[in-house]
Amino acid sequence: MSVPEAPEWTPVPDDLGRLAAAYGVATEYWDQRGNLVNVGSATVAAVLTALGLDVSSHESVEAAIEEKRLRDWRRMLPPVFVMRQGQDLRLWVHVPDGAPARAWLDTEQGDRVELAQMDHWVESVEVDGRLIGEASFRVPGDLPLGWHAVHAESDGTSSRAPLVVAPRRLDPDAIAGDRQWGFMTQVYAMRSEASWGIGDLHDLATLATWSGRDLGAGFVLINPLHAASPVPPMSPSPYLPVTRRFANPMYLRVEDVPEYDGMQPAVVEQLEHLAAELRWMNTTADLLERDAVWSAKRTALEAIHRAGMTDERRADYASYQEREGEGLIDFATWCALSDVHGAEPDAWPAELAHPRDPAVAVFREEHVDLVDFHMWLQWLLDQQMAATQAAARAAGMPIGVMHDLAVGVHPEGSDAWALQDVLARGVSVGAPPDMYNQMGQDWSQPPWRPDALAEAAFGPFRDMLRTVLGHAGGLRIDHVLGLFRLWWVPQGLPAYAGTFVRFDYDAMLSILMLEAHRAGALVVGEDLGTVEPWVQEVLAERGILGTSILWFETMEGVIREPREWRRDVLASVTVHDLPPTAGYLRDEHVRIRAELGLLTTPEETERANADRERQAWAEVLRRHGWLGQDVDVDTDEGLEEFAVALHRAVAASPARLVGVSLPDVVGDRRAQNQPGTDQEYPNWRVPMTDGAGRPVTLERLMEGSPLLSALIDAVR
């Protein structure tokens, strides 16, 4: 795997540093080892260019600094105000110096509230030859939660802006109680005898019902269900979707579509034949074939779509379309454009480059049935996800299905097209070097532009959250640090030559809290990696749970005792970016990286480090009585006992939620993902198998096994 070379490092000039500070672009940062890293000027300049700034000369940089200083002074109200309930807010209104001003707000509930002016002096500022003053108004903290509208007027000029009132804190106790445990699974890898070669929402409902009713599980955490391209080849990564708002119709169970039962017998026979051609895959350990599965399911779903629906169902569909609005239309249009012109938007006719272009509206009219088909698929997914969550709750799960939100989207996907005005170009999201990815990571995803997202009043962020949370009892946010800052990698530079860009975390967290509160869902943030300590404190203060992974729970190289872990976390032994526990204990994480050339230290050194890590944990486990003194961890039997003991350690922590990776209960060893790779490793294409490499269906899983019983006893 070739890695781009970084340009010669040069220090950041003073003017460029001031512009970077104004836009939250880091010129230095602390790495995971506690070392201060200075960022090179080439990186900083490339990131600022991606923010739409001209940094080609000293004069252009100074002009950009001045424009940023005066931006808010040039408008009466900002794009949005965000506040938390229980805390008064000072609302500023910019007017000609000395001019009277009035402000009021209309609540989401339909009430009007006049705002009282405050005695708060702010020095006037000269803007474009005029002196502009700042009037201040008090927004009371006892406003109801919601998205309200604030209005201001002065001398015949008026302005309007959204005002968001978020909960002071989320209340995980109200949802989860004292402690819950649950399985963590990749839905596609978890198949039943009735699956069409890949796990689906019906399979997820089966797992939730069984684990909730028979095992006492409180939740099931799944991979992101975000949509992939409808045109093959379908990207296998659930963390590189074309959109984060809408879901992948590959997860539909065709037979659960209500119109299926009303199809003509001859058509049903044809669809059953399609399914039979795929079901044999459920009994093999071969890599998953998403394209074959989607081709068959699409054929079946197109036939059902053509058959029509009842008036009652059509009314439900219309309500769904109204609720999802323009975002749904844009996504379905992008899918239809991909069907007609291919999956690479750069190759589309130029007049289709932007969703608001007139030619796009013409295309939509000419392909109305195709656009409708893709909207209809999302409606079906909405219904089946609702049924899955209902099944989980009916089985006694207090939380139910916990969805996962990816960090970003494919650079040529639906969101990259539909939301291009609020995404940065010329950079991609990634991660700085750490102990597991010593060259850093480049995830090839365009990040939100913090400035553009704020100008859009965070509307795209809010709409995404509302849709994803629609049928969720919980939401795990992958790389939650992305709400605070993201590692941006300029195109053409290696992943380690990026830098951090800061976001308005207070506003983004508040909007997340409001939408989660409305959905009755708890939130878990994956706060691993290069984390500033205050970030975890902020998340805990807001009632957002963190993440504890056993292998990462060390301090200065020494294992942190499980009873010293944080309480407000989801704790587990492993995570999807590491091999299952059995594989990790047999150095799969070292073998894969060595074979792919991802190590910067000798393989022998990495294996020795892995052995020391195992021995250190074995000592901890034996000291607490979680692992027998005479267990030989190098044998297969000892391997299982070691894995169970590790789960006992997690259960001994004060963690509010305990996750058990489903592959661990069958002894699976194959990694689902190797970070830092694309085609070099079969990421996200591995079905669930046992320790001998034999496929495990849901039916076989639910028959039980000694390992399953031991692991559940350990955490329950």
Side-chain angles (χ1 to χ4, degrees):
M1 182 174 60
S2 62
V3 177
E5 291 187 5
E8 182 180 353
W9 186 92
T10 57
V12 177
D14 176 69
D15 59 345
L16 200 65
R18 287 186 288 117
L19 183 60
Y23 279 87
V25 178
T27 56
E28 62 181 21
Y29 68 93
W30 296 94
D31 69 12
Q32 196 176 47
R33 298 179 182 275
N35 301 315
L36 183 64
V37 178
N38 290 303
V39 182
S41 62
T43 295
V44 173
V47 168
L48 290 170
T49 300
L51 288 167
L53 302 170
D54 181 0
V55 297
S56 60
S57 67
H58 169 72
E59 290 74 19
S60 65
V61 170
E62 290 293 343
I65 293 172
E66 181 67 1
E67 191 282 328
K68 181 69 167 62
R69 183 181 73 87
L70 296 178
R71 180 173 299 170
D72 280 343
W73 285 98
R74 287 193 166 107
R75 51 191 170 197
M76 182 175 282
L77 290 173
V80 63
F81 281 104
V82 181
M83 62 184 290
R84 280 193 283 169
Q85 200 172 46
Q87 297 179 337
D88 290 357
L89 172 74
R90 182 182 74 87
L91 178 95
W92 58 258
V93 179
H94 289 153
V95 297
D97 191 40
R102 170 178 171 246
W104 71 96
L105 63 87
D106 294 326
T107 70
E108 194 178 71
Q109 293 75 17
D111 298 320
R112 172 158 293 191
V113 179
E114 291 288 339
L115 302 180
Q117 192 160 355
M118 298 170 58
D119 184 13
H120 182 92
W121 184 83
V122 176
E123 186 173 354
S124 301
V125 172
E126 184 176 336
V127 181
D128 304 326
R130 300 174 64 204
L131 202 59
I132 302 297
E134 182 171 292
S136 298
F137 293 84
R138 174 182 170 272
V139 181
D142 60 356
L143 289 172
L145 300 176
W147 287 77
H148 313 306
V150 62
H151 301 263
E153 64 179 15
S154 174
D155 282 356
T157 302
S158 62
S159 183
R160 177 187 182 279
L163 184 142
V164 183
V165 180
R168 190 177 182 87
R169 186 179 190 277
L170 293 178
D171 186 5
D173 280 331
I175 299 172
D178 185 47
R179 165 175 278 187
Q180 299 294 335
W181 76 272
F183 285 127
M184 308 183 300
T185 185
Q186 306 289 313
V187 175
Y188 56 84
M190 173 196 68
R191 303 171 295 181
S192 67
E193 293 173 1
S195 303
W196 289 39
I198 277 179
D200 57 35
L201 288 165
H202 189 105
D203 297 324
L204 176 59
T206 300
L207 176 72
T209 299
W210 167 67
S211 61
R213 181 191 60 211
D214 296 353
L215 305 180
F219 66 90
V220 55
L221 170 61
I222 61 174
N223 60 277
L225 299 184
H226 309 322
S229 171
V231 179
M234 181 181 289
S235 172
S237 174
Y239 293 94
L240 188 61
V242 298
T243 176
R244 293 191 290 173
R245 180 173 175 181
F246 298 104
N248 193 335
M250 178 188 70
Y251 292 113
L252 288 170
R253 175 64 65 90
V254 173
E255 295 88 341
D256 288 353
V257 178
E259 285 74 24
Y260 181 88
D261 292 335
M263 301 287 288
Q264 294 294 324
V267 177
V268 172
E269 184 178 351
Q270 291 175 347
L271 301 188
E272 278 296 318
H273 179 70
L274 276 177
E277 289 181 337
L278 295 171
R279 286 189 179 125
W280 69 269
M281 297 180 182
N282 303 330
T283 60
T284 77
D286 297 342
L287 297 180
L288 300 172
E289 297 285 349
R290 282 176 171 79
D291 291 337
V293 171
W294 172 232
S295 176
K297 285 193 174 184
R298 176 163 185 161
T299 298
L301 291 162
E302 285 174 337
I304 299 172
H305 182 249
R306 287 192 298 269
M309 65 186 88
T310 65
D311 289 342
E312 182 180 2
R313 290 268 292 165
R314 190 173 300 280
D316 288 344
Y317 176 37
S319 296
Y320 169 77
Q321 290 174 291
E322 183 178 0
R323 186 179 80 223
E324 296 300 334
E326 186 174 77
L328 175 65
I329 296 171
D330 284 345
F331 171 69
T333 301
W334 179 89
C335 289
L337 284 163
S338 297
D339 286 334
V340 174
H341 295 292
E344 298 180 1
D346 288 345
W348 293 355
E351 63 268 21
L352 302 174
H354 193 281
R356 305 283 84 84
D357 286 342
V360 173
V362 173
F363 173 90
R364 196 156 42 230
E365 292 173 2
E366 293 174 344
H367 298 83
V368 62
D369 288 340
L370 185 55
V371 173
D372 183 74
F373 172 67
H374 288 292
M375 289 194 290
W376 176 78
L377 290 176
Q378 292 304 311
W379 175 54
L380 296 183
L381 282 160
D382 184 76
Q383 291 188 317
Q384 291 196 11
M385 285 191 286
T388 300
Q389 173 65 356
R393 298 300 297 272
M397 285 187 167
I399 300 169
V401 180
M402 187 182 301
H403 288 258
D404 200 350
L405 184 69
V407 178
V409 294
H410 196 287
E412 296 181 335
S414 165
D415 281 0
W417 177 75
L419 303 178
Q420 59 187 273
D421 296 337
V422 293
L423 295 176
R425 298 290 182 174
V427 291
S428 56
V429 175
D434 60 30
M435 68 183 77
Y436 288 97
N437 296 280
Q438 296 159 352
M439 300 298 290
Q441 299 178 58
D442 184 342
W443 302 329
S444 74
Q445 300 165 335
W448 296 118
R449 270 185 57 170
D451 57 334
L453 190 60
E455 291 291 331
F458 299 96
F461 181 64
R462 173 204 62 199
D463 293 341
M464 174 190 67
L465 290 172
R466 283 183 180 174
T467 300
V468 174
L469 284 163
H471 305 296
L475 181 65
R476 175 190 178 271
I477 299 184
D478 193 50
H479 197 69
V480 73
L481 308 180
L483 300 181
F484 294 78
R485 65 179 188 175
L486 275 175
W487 183 256
W488 286 23
V489 182
Q491 287 181 1
L493 296 187
Y496 62 79
T499 190
F500 286 107
V501 176
R502 292 194 177 276
F503 287 77
D504 185 349
Y505 74 87
D506 187 68
M508 297 184 78
L509 284 179
S510 294
I511 292 168
L512 168 63
M513 292 163 62
L514 174 59
E515 300 306 327
H517 172 81
R518 288 179 152 179
L522 55 76
V523 178
V524 174
E526 188 241 352
D527 53 352
L528 307 173
T530 307
V531 187
E532 296 169 302
W534 64 270
V535 169
Q536 293 181 337
E537 295 172 5
V538 168
L539 293 174
E541 176 196 342
R542 302 293 180 90
I544 296 172
L545 307 184
T547 300
S548 289
I549 306 299
L550 178 139
W551 301 116
F552 302 156
E553 284 293 334
T554 60
M555 181 173 290
E556 297 180 354
V558 178
I559 291 173
R560 183 184 286 111
E561 288 284 340
R563 292 187 176 93
E564 297 175 0
W565 296 3
R566 293 175 289 163
R567 166 166 168 71
D568 287 327
V569 295
L570 165 62
S572 62
V573 175
T574 190
V575 69
H576 59 253
D577 284 336
L578 296 176
T581 301
Y584 193 89
L585 292 173
R586 290 297 181 261
D587 291 354
E588 273 292 285
H589 57 302
V590 178
R591 180 191 67 79
I592 294 171
R593 289 182 294 150
E595 290 182 0
L596 298 180
L598 298 176
L599 295 176
T600 58
T601 55
E603 180 180 353
E604 295 76 14
T605 301
E606 290 295 317
R607 288 191 180 275
N609 291 339
D611 183 62
R612 279 193 292 273
E613 181 181 45
R614 280 193 303 274
Q615 297 307 320
W617 266 107
E619 180 181 339
V620 171
L621 299 174
R622 288 184 171 118
R623 184 169 69 248
H624 288 283
W626 298 324
L627 179 67
Q629 296 292 334
D630 58 348
V631 173
D632 183 355
V633 297
D634 292 327
T635 65
D636 286 345
E637 183 182 48
L639 176 68
E640 289 195 357
E641 293 194 44
F642 200 168
V644 172
L646 291 169
H647 283 81
R648 291 190 184 112
V650 173
S653 77
R656 185 185 294 275
L657 303 179
V658 173
V660 177
S661 175
L662 198 62
D664 278 358
V665 307
V666 296
D668 201 350
R669 298 192 185 189
R670 292 195 293 181
Q672 276 293 333
N673 176 51
Q674 174 53 53
T677 66
D678 180 20
Q679 300 300 316
E680 300 87 354
Y681 182 82
N683 295 325
W684 317 112
R685 289 179 281 165
V686 178
M688 190 166 65
T689 60
D690 62 17
R694 296 169 300 200
V696 178
T697 62
L698 275 170
E699 289 82 3
R700 181 182 163 198
L701 172 70
M702 293 187 293
E703 289 174 358
S705 69
L707 178 58
L708 169 66
S709 298
L711 282 172
I712 301 310
D713 286 345
V715 299
R716 188 173 57 183

